[in-house]
Amino acid sequence: MSKRDEYIEKMKLQLDELDAKMDKLEAKAKVAKDDMRAKYKEEMAMLREKSKLAKGKLQEVKAAGEDKWESVVTEMEKVRDAVIHSYNYFKSQL
């Protein structure tokens, strides 16, 4: 497996794990008090949207040629870090 393939697989695994964590977090948010449930639902929607963006960026990484590989990887890591940061913030609010 090439270094590129390893990176793509690693990133996919990280995003899949994050989605699983979001599922658990969403379940916790569903049992929150009524006044907080709407806020959590809104936050979760934004978090899911960021996750979709990260998966889209992963598709760009897969399709990138060697000439754009470094810049696409840098963008991918920024998007991934933003999703993780948003997840951690949301988790801290529960």
Side-chain angles (χ1 to χ4, degrees):
M1 185 178 279
S2 72
K3 191 173 191 175
R4 178 183 175 132
D5 291 337
E6 287 177 15
Y7 178 83
I8 290 169
E9 187 61 32
K10 175 185 163 187
M11 204 51 56
K12 182 182 180 324
L13 180 63
Q14 287 178 4
L15 294 176
D16 289 346
E17 287 174 353
L18 191 56
D19 278 345
K21 288 179 180 180
M22 282 189 272
D23 290 342
K24 289 179 184 179
L25 199 57
E26 192 169 27
K28 283 184 180 182
K30 285 182 180 179
V31 298
K33 293 179 181 179
D34 288 340
D35 59 331
M36 295 302 292
R37 194 172 300 137
K39 179 183 177 206
Y40 290 148
K41 187 175 180 179
E42 181 181 323
E43 291 288 332
M44 184 55 73
M46 287 190 293
L47 191 54
R48 292 285 184 192
E49 185 60 31
K50 287 181 181 181
S51 178
K52 285 181 189 177
L53 290 174
K55 288 178 182 179
K57 186 56 70 178
L58 181 59
Q59 293 304 314
E60 287 182 38
V61 168
K62 288 179 182 180
E66 291 298 321
D67 58 325
K68 293 189 178 193
W69 173 252
E70 292 296 322
S71 65
V72 175
V73 166
T74 300
E75 291 173 26
M76 175 71 230
E77 291 177 356
K78 286 178 183 177
V79 170
R80 181 214 44 211
D81 291 347
V83 174
I84 290 171
H85 175 75
S86 295
Y87 167 81
N88 288 333
Y89 175 78
F90 182 58
K91 184 178 175 185
S92 73
Q93 300 301 305
L94 287 180

